Amino acid sequence: EVQLVESGGGLVQPGGSLKLSCVASGFTFRDYWMNWVRQAPGKTMEWIGDIKPDGSNTNYAPSVKNRFTISRDNAKSILYLQMSNMRADYTATYYCVRGADNNYWFAYWGQGTLVTVSS
Amino acid sequence: DTVLTQSPALAVSPGERVTISCRASESVSTLMHWYQQKPGQQPTLLIYLASNLESGVPARFSGSGSGTDFTLTIDPVEADDTATYYCQQSWNDPWTFGGGTKLELK
């Protein structure tokens, strides 16, 4: 069974930093594109970025480019999201998501971790 | 970015047929996918590449369309289908989602 378990969410002040983790199990982690997708309260989803199976390439949404960094540890099956210089509108539930077929759609989602940016 | 427009809400009775629409601001070929999100839960994949049913998803769900106009159909609707449904395109970077259609049962 595919499982994606996020952690690291919480309250952070504007301008602060936070690092999220996602532990994957039930599949061969190193074979898949991985993504982070966020959902602000009561809003739709926003794709934040992705990372190639071997970690050699990342892509980011314009809204978070130069603020967020996605990385992965294939030996430990862990996906990371480093967030810096955070803003209030980054308040959202952050989902770890496994891509499908060259990452054209999102096959499996974690349960999400809530990040609140507030002073 | 490619904007995906969905009707905000629909209300139907159990046993009826419902169609949920998604219109793209530009062509996305057939790179359109559908997700279901129940309250307090993460989204789950229903349909990929416009019309392909994800494994384990009931055959009551189906998808159609190409270009800019897409439809998710549920026939017949069951009480458990109460949820918000989102479309997502992967033709134009960045991948984007529709605003969601909240399905309520009468």
Side-chain angles (χ1 to χ4, degrees):
Chain A
E1 179 194 5
V2 173
Q3 286 199 318
L4 299 166
V5 180
E6 302 94 336
S7 62
L11 178 64
V12 60
Q13 292 190 336
S17 299
L18 198 65
K19 188 172 186 177
L20 306 183
S21 301
C22 168
V23 177
S25 61
F27 65 100
T28 305
F29 183 72
R30 64 178 179 271
D31 288 346
Y32 290 88
W33 284 82
M34 295 298 296
N35 302 265
W36 288 97
V37 175
R38 68 184 177 187
Q39 185 174 32
K43 304 295 185 182
T44 186
M45 270 75 71
E46 178 187 14
W47 172 82
I48 294 172
D50 60 31
I51 184 167
K52 280 186 73 173
D54 64 1
S56 63
N57 189 46
T58 52
N59 301 290
Y60 299 95
S63 59
V64 303
K65 202 166 187 178
N66 300 321
R67 292 175 181 256
F68 288 9
T69 302
I70 297 174
S71 60
R72 63 193 296 163
D73 184 335
N74 283 347
K76 296 181 179 178
S77 298
I78 302 177
L79 177 72
Y80 300 102
L81 177 65
Q82 176 70 53
M83 302 182 287
S84 61
N85 196 13
M86 296 182 72
R87 310 188 314 220
D89 62 346
Y90 290 172
T91 294
T93 295
Y94 285 73
Y95 293 102
C96 166
V97 185
R98 195 188 92 175
D101 193 2
N102 287 322
N103 213 37
Y104 286 122
W105 62 91
F106 305 126
Y108 293 95
W109 299 62
Q111 85 289 349
T113 188
L114 178 62
V115 173
T116 302
V117 184
S118 175
S119 55
Chain B
D1 296 2
T2 301
V3 176
L4 303 180
T5 302
Q6 299 182 245
S7 299
L10 287 170
V12 298
S13 299
E16 291 185 345
R17 177 177 184 268
V18 65
T19 58
I20 297 170
S21 65
C22 177
R23 174 162 287 177
S25 60
E26 56 192 316
S27 177
V28 299
S29 185
T30 57
L31 290 180
M32 183 66 79
H33 324 289
W34 291 92
Y35 303 86
Q36 177 193 65
Q37 186 177 34
K38 296 182 178 180
Q41 297 184 18
Q42 69 269 49
T44 59
L45 177 67
L46 296 174
I47 301 287
Y48 61 94
L49 296 175
S51 61
N52 294 273
L53 191 68
E54 171 70 351
S55 176
V57 174
R60 304 182 291 105
F61 293 87
S62 63
S64 63
S66 66
T68 60
D69 292 297
F70 297 85
T71 299
L72 172 71
T73 300
I74 311 173
D75 187 13
V77 171
E78 296 183 358
D80 187 52
D81 298 334
T82 297
T84 301
Y85 294 85
Y86 295 94
C87 54
Q88 174 246 324
Q89 66 82 26
S90 55
W91 179 257
N92 298 304
D93 183 35
W95 301 168
T96 52
F97 291 85
T101 297
K102 187 173 184 179
L103 180 66
E104 297 180 342
L105 268 64
K106 297 177 184 175

